[in-house]
Amino acid sequence: MTKRTKLLLGGGLIIVALAYLINSGIREASVYYITPSELKAKGKAVSDQSFRLGGMVVPGSLHWEPQTLKLTFRLTDGKEEVAVEHIGSPPDLFKEGAGAVVEGKCTADGPFRSSMIMAKHSEEYTPPKDGEGSAKHIHRPLAAPQGVQ
């Protein structure tokens, strides 16, 4: 075996090992995003698997229990609805009729159990009109200067 053949063989092994590590790392870190219709179509095949579920929060379905931090609502894509249960505080932009993506697991006989909620917001920016809030109110000191109460 010549020196060049050994070098090519070693380089090929290193490239194959790196490709394997990158591929397995991406598979473990990836979380799939599906819609309620896709979830219903897959049925129990996705039971106990982690993935992201996206859709619109159905108006009138949002129920918040502040004592237990239990949040229940339904997500829809316009065709199907999925019940979602989350324990924890919702993000500020989360509301009925708005888009949301939840990450968690689908249980076989119960609601989708969310461990994280990501609220979508509008992509349109509208500047404040005359007389509405200004940027001065956004930046305020966290503590009052010394000597001022």
Side-chain angles (χ1 to χ4, degrees):
M1 189 178 285
T2 66
K3 186 174 183 179
R4 183 172 182 211
T5 306
K6 289 179 184 177
L7 186 62
L8 287 174
L9 186 62
L13 285 174
I14 290 172
I15 290 173
V16 170
L18 284 174
Y20 173 76
L21 290 174
I22 291 170
N23 186 27
S24 63
I26 289 173
R27 279 189 187 177
E28 289 179 13
S30 65
V31 179
Y32 295 104
Y33 168 86
I34 63 173
T35 64
S37 295
E38 292 170 337
L39 178 63
K40 293 281 184 175
K42 292 184 180 195
K44 293 185 179 186
V46 293
S47 177
D48 214 29
Q49 291 182 2
S50 292
F51 55 89
R52 290 181 177 171
L53 176 69
M56 302 295 287
V57 179
V58 175
S61 68
L62 187 62
H63 183 69
W64 167 248
E65 296 175 20
Q67 293 84 14
T68 60
L69 298 179
K70 184 178 179 182
L71 179 69
T72 57
F73 55 96
R74 298 186 70 78
L75 279 180
T76 184
D77 60 355
K79 298 174 187 170
E80 296 285 344
E81 291 185 7
V82 173
V84 179
E85 184 177 289
H86 178 80
I87 303 294
S89 300
D92 291 339
L93 295 175
F94 183 78
K95 60 183 176 184
E96 293 179 342
V101 176
V102 294
E103 185 175 323
K105 291 185 176 183
C106 186
T107 57
D109 56 345
F112 183 88
R113 300 211 189 272
S114 166
S115 59
M116 182 171 65
I117 299 175
M118 295 173 275
K120 292 182 179 178
H121 60 83
S122 172
E123 297 171 353
E124 297 176 18
Y125 171 75
T126 55
K129 297 176 183 168
D130 291 337
E132 289 184 354
S134 66
K136 292 178 183 176
H137 300 291
I138 296 173
H139 303 287
R140 64 178 190 274
L142 297 176
Q146 290 185 355
V148 177
Q149 293 186 13

